[in-house]
Structures are given as C-alpha cells and as structure tokens.
Amino acid sequence: MTPFAVLRHACGLSQREAAELLRVGIPSVKQWEAARAAGPGVLRELAALAQQIDRSAAQTLEAMRELTARHEGPIEIGYPADDHEARALGYPCVGAWKAMLARVLPHIWAERVVLVPRGSTPGTAAAAQAHGC
C-alpha cells in the first residue's frame, strides 16, 4: 500500500474518480497505488480533500447534534444522486460525500438517520435551496 492509496481511500474516491479529480489517466492512478511514488503535488491535493472532508464532517456532526437536541424523530439527510449534485455541495464526487458521512455516522445514533435523495422531500428540497443547489 502506498501513501497515495491510503489518501485515495480516505477520500472515498474510486480510481476513476481520483483520475478525474487529478486530471490524469487511470494508468497513472494504478501506478501510484502499486509502487511508483506520486508527486508531492498529487499527495497535497488528496490531503487537502481529506481535510475538507474532515471539516465538513465536523460541521455536519455539530448541526446534527443541535438538531437531535430539538427533534425526536428521524434525521433526514439528503444524499447526492450523482457527481453533479455532489459538486453542487462542494464535493468532487459522490464517493467523497460518502467519505464525509462515514466520518459522521459513528458519532450519532445512526438508527435515527434516514438517507433520502436530495430534493425528494420538503426538508431536503429546503436544504438544497438554502445551499443554492
């Protein structure tokens, strides 16, 4: 395992998504994972994405804790259906959004969380509108 592979997985990226994000071909991604060292710029870009995901997870967790203190029912989280929607939320792809949620779920009562497509209910439609999506 290489540092590139660890960071790619931490960001929730598939090899295709990593290639698109880094604007390289999939063969480069495969080489960086197998043995060839990725350049420092590549590693910095993935590390920056991992930090962005961590910050977003912390903000999401804080918002969810505030919500659960006021609300007894399930917490509805609208998920991006595709990479276009993920980009509208500030993530390069759905995989990165899932990586953020994976950091949140262990810290809340996951059985109270209901994942729904964004915009499919009044709550998720309002959240999408609030984010300008």
Side-chain angles (χ1 to χ4, degrees):
M1 185 167 287
T2 64
F4 177 87
V6 171
L7 285 170
R8 180 180 71 79
H9 286 283
C11 292
L13 303 177
S14 67
Q15 288 183 340
R16 177 194 55 83
E17 291 166 337
E20 288 176 8
L21 175 71
L22 299 166
R23 297 163 304 283
V24 299
I26 292 177
S28 293
V29 169
K30 289 180 178 184
Q31 288 176 351
W32 294 334
E33 290 201 354
R36 196 179 109 220
V42 167
L43 296 177
R44 275 195 296 273
E45 192 165 348
L46 286 180
L49 176 57
Q51 290 172 334
Q52 173 193 341
I53 290 169
D54 288 343
R55 283 190 302 272
S56 181
Q59 292 168 349
T60 300
L61 184 57
E62 181 59 32
M64 291 179 78
R65 285 182 176 150
E66 290 174 13
L67 183 61
T68 57
R70 299 186 315 250
H71 184 63
E72 289 295 320
I75 300 167
E76 185 181 275
I77 299 176
Y79 62 83
D82 57 28
D83 290 347
H84 176 75
E85 284 188 355
R87 284 189 289 275
L89 295 172
Y91 301 92
C93 60
V94 174
W97 182 87
K98 288 179 182 179
M100 180 279 299
L101 189 62
R103 287 165 170 82
V104 170
L105 289 177
H107 302 285
I108 61 169
W109 293 102
E111 67 271 7
R112 290 190 59 195
V113 173
V114 177
L115 297 175
V116 296
R118 288 183 62 246
S120 65
T121 67
T124 59
Q129 186 176 9
H131 281 90
C133 302

